[in-house]
Structures are given as structure tokens and as C-alpha cells.
Amino acid sequence: MTRAFSGVKPTGHLTLGNYLGALRQWAETDQHRADSLFCVVDLHALTVDHDPARVRRLSRQAATLLLAAGLDPERCTVFVQSHVDEHARLAYLLECVATDGEMRRMIQYKEKSAREQVRGGSVRLSLLTYPALMAADILVYDTDEVPVGDDQTQHVELARDLAVRFNHRYGQTFTVPKATSPKVAARVMNLQDPVSKMGKSDDTGPGIVYLLDEPEAVRKKVMRAVTDSGQDVVHDRATRPGVTNLLEILAACAGGDPEDLAASYSSYGALKKDTAEAVVEVLRPVQERHRELCADPGYLEQVLRTGAEKARTMARPTVDAAYRAIGLLPA
Ligand code: AMP
Ligand code: TRP
């Protein structure tokens, strides 16, 4: 059976981008057709300035939202990265296979480190080595498929390269994974700045729809979305990024093809109104389930404990094999 693995970082409140680009596909498709693991990757949240209490809170919230989005612990393994030591152990071996040059070429590193320097802050070394840990997350489970939004495909490519290199140098150890992305809304853009990704870590309110936003807040944000100069509704990412983003969101939430939908609107106002309602309807059941889950925190703890146990059992043999292959003496 195909093995799928993916993760979400607890660096902010989860957004509509997380849901349409990742979580929904995990719940609706991946958990049914693959032996899958979904993880709150809390170690990754330590690569940028962080507040320990906030990371703890956001980790719990992200795990709750994974379940609220429809992940079923009877069908897939839901857990927290730091509960399974094997990730960090394998990451070190992969740092010994990766090069400094290939880490520095990662777009996410370039963007985040540049932003940090502008702020006058320092860049954590773990931000540079982040892709080695992410590769470990993936390779430790013999993963075939990694369902992610567009922004993560470069990291998954790197995980592939490291798997191939390790296997070539030290003997067949890892399955070589590939990224899979949803057909529409693989990259949901910020409503106020439609050439930038809707990213949860940016935390600049009005352009970001959060999964737990009240319906009124969602409507307000969508109705105030920046659109393009011109009047006609056209799907074209390059020249009409604002309208195209709304069409993609509408298509992802209500069904249909974004280009066909464009033809059925003659004004931005009507497009915004329908998009807002479609988003509210998509979020409604997730929010309801989230409320129910919050009323029973013991259930989440139980799910995460069982998930970590299952994950550990799967990860252990891979790390043992990698330790042997690379030349470490058995204990
Ligand atoms: P992150 O928020 O970076 O932890 O991302 C978790 C998952 O959500 C990854 O698979 C991302 O590719 C996906 N994702 C995050 N933001 C967006 C977005 N704006 N559009 C589509 N997918 C996204
Ligand atoms: N880097 C991913 C992100 O920012 C999160 C992540 C960490 C991940 N490890 C992973 C995603 C392994 C897929 C597989 O979204």
C-alpha cells in the first residue's frame, strides 16, 4: 500500500491556505487511499523566534484542527513530531549527506533569513538545516507520497535527492518520495497582497482567512479583498492575481473550474459575495467539530499518545538501518 506523510508547523493559527492546499486533501483523499501519517511538526516551529507557551498552545490547536478537518485516527496516524525521537536522530545523518550549498538554495530559507536580517534579528542555524529535518520526517516512514501545497515542493525535491544520494553511497535504505499537490488552490494567496502566499506565520490579519474565523470576519475579509484594475472577471495569475485568487478559492470551495467560473461573473462584487459564502460553508463543519473536540481534551491526548506509539514502531527500523549503513557501530 502507498505510504503518505505530511505535516503542519505550529507557528500560527491555521489558515484557509492550509486547509485547501493540504488538510482537506489529507482528510478527503489521502487517508482513504494510503497508509498515512499526519504530524504537527513542532520542532520546525523552533527555527524562528518563538514563545514556548505559544508553541505549546498552537501545537494542541493544530492537532485539534487536523481531527476537526476530518482526519480519522482509526484510518491514519496523527501525532506530534517531538514525541518521536527518530526524526531528530535521522536528521543528523541527513545533514551528513546534504551540502551547505543545497541548503542555502532553498527559497524558504532565502526569504525567511532575508526578512529576519531586515528586522535586525539573527538567523537560527536550524532555519538553514530545516530541510534535513523535513527530509527525515518523510524518509523515516518509507514514504511514497507527500501531499503538500506548492510552496513545499522544493523541500520534497531535496528529500528525494538526499534519499537517492544516501542509497547510492551507503546501500539501499530509503524509499524515494514524491510530492503531490491539489489541482486547484495549491497556492492560496493573501487577500490583501495576492502576489504573496496566504501564510499563517505572517499574522497580518486582513488578508488571511483563519480556519477559526467567525463567519462575519470571513465575509469582511473576502469582501475587502484587493482586486485588479479593470472590470471584467478573468482568470490569469500573471495579470489579474487578485481576481484569479478569488476564482481559485471559489472553485476549491464550491466546485467547478476557475476558468469556467470566470465566464459566469460580470462584476467583482458578485464574485466576492459568492466566494465569501462558499468559504463560510466550507469552514462551518470544521468549526463545529473543533468546538466538540475542545470540550474533550482527554480524547486529543489519547489520540496523540497512540499516534506517537504507532509512528515510533514504524520509524525505529528505518533509523536502525540507516545507522548501520552509514557506518555507526551497533550498540
Ligand atoms: P505550513 O503552514 O507551512 O506548516 O504548511 C502546512 C501545509 O499547508 C503545507 O503542505 C503547505 O504547503 C500548505 N499551505 C500553507 N499555506 C498554503 C497556501 N497559502 N496555499 C496552499 N497551501 C498552503
Ligand atoms: N515544511 C513544511 C511547511 O512549512 C512542514 C513540514 C515539515 C512537512 N516536515 C514535513 C510537510 C514533512 C510535509 C512533509 O509546510
Side-chain angles (χ1 to χ4, degrees):
M1 197 180 191
T2 303
R3 171 71 55 80
F5 177 94
S6 201
V8 59
K9 293 193 296 284
T11 43
H13 299 286
L14 265 60
T15 70
L16 183 66
N18 291 127
Y19 184 70
L20 297 179
L23 267 63
R24 184 170 71 168
Q25 178 174 288
W26 304 349
E28 289 182 358
T29 315
D30 299 309
Q31 68 170 345
H32 300 288
R33 49 173 281 280
D35 172 11
S36 21
L37 298 104
F38 300 105
C39 185
V40 176
V41 287
D42 53 352
L43 296 172
H44 285 277
L46 312 184
T47 55
V48 288
D49 251 359
H50 79 285
D51 166 27
R54 183 164 189 264
V55 169
R56 225 172 277 132
R57 208 165 49 240
L58 289 173
S59 294
R60 212 169 280 126
Q61 189 189 68
T64 310
L65 280 168
L66 292 184
L67 302 180
L71 292 184
D72 174 359
E74 301 288 320
R75 285 189 179 278
C76 62
T77 307
V78 179
F79 69 106
V80 174
Q81 183 189 31
S82 64
H83 294 176
V84 182
D85 291 342
E86 278 69 17
H87 293 237
R89 293 175 64 214
L90 183 58
Y92 178 71
L93 298 200
L94 296 176
E95 284 179 23
C96 298
V97 174
T99 67
D100 175 65
E102 65 192 342
M103 293 288 160
R104 289 185 196 280
R105 276 198 293 278
M106 294 294 111
I107 296 165
Q108 184 173 293
Y109 173 71
K110 287 202 254 187
E111 286 180 356
K112 286 196 177 173
S113 57
R115 223 180 295 155
E116 200 54 56
Q117 273 154 357
V118 167
R119 280 201 211 115
S122 52
V123 178
R124 295 184 181 185
L125 180 58
S126 53
L127 188 65
L128 179 62
T129 57
Y130 180 121
L133 177 59
M134 175 160 164
D137 300 339
I138 297 168
L139 301 184
V140 81
Y141 298 108
D142 286 325
T143 301
D144 302 293
E145 292 183 3
V146 188
V148 282
D150 264 1
D151 60 318
Q152 293 302 315
T153 47
Q154 193 189 28
H155 289 154
V156 180
E157 282 297 314
L158 181 63
R160 271 180 84 84
D161 292 347
L162 297 181
V164 169
R165 196 176 306 154
F166 190 105
N167 289 344
H168 180 71
R169 275 192 202 157
Y170 306 114
Q172 178 59 39
T173 308
F174 298 121
T175 302
V176 179
K178 70 169 197 300
T180 57
S181 297
K183 282 185 207 65
V184 282
R187 183 179 285 259
V188 177
M189 309 307 275
N190 187 303
L191 297 174
Q192 289 298 317
D193 176 20
V195 293
S196 307
K197 188 184 80 156
M198 185 185 284
K200 65 172 141 52
S201 327
D202 308 334
D203 271 342
T204 45
I208 305 172
V209 174
Y210 294 102
L211 289 190
L212 295 178
D213 275 348
E214 298 284 340
E216 259 329 291
V218 173
R219 291 191 184 100
K220 218 178 258 172
K221 288 176 182 177
V222 176
M223 294 310 289
R224 288 184 189 163
V226 166
T227 35
D228 314 296
S229 54
Q231 298 296 320
D232 46 343
V233 177
V234 180
H235 184 276
D236 182 351
R237 240 187 219 286
T239 61
R240 303 291 186 87
V243 169
T244 300
N245 191 34
L246 292 173
L247 287 165
E248 295 265 334
I249 293 173
L250 176 62
C253 293
D257 174 82
E259 302 210 6
D260 296 345
L261 285 170
S264 59
Y265 286 95
S266 53
S267 81
Y268 291 166
L271 171 63
K272 285 180 172 175
K273 201 154 178 294
D274 287 357
T275 305
E277 291 316 312
V279 173
V280 167
E281 285 315 310
V282 156
L283 297 187
R284 190 189 306 282
V286 178
Q287 297 184 350
E288 272 169 19
R289 178 101 181 97
H290 178 264
R291 259 192 302 277
E292 288 164 19
L293 288 160
C294 285
D296 183 7
Y299 174 70
L300 178 71
E301 268 171 40
Q302 169 62 34
V303 166
L304 296 180
R305 202 173 316 117
T306 312
E309 274 163 26
K310 269 165 68 186
R312 249 179 248 125
T313 313
M314 290 186 236
R316 200 63 197 256
T318 320
V319 178
D320 284 349
Y323 265 50
R324 294 288 140 70
I326 207 168
L328 301 174
L329 210 53

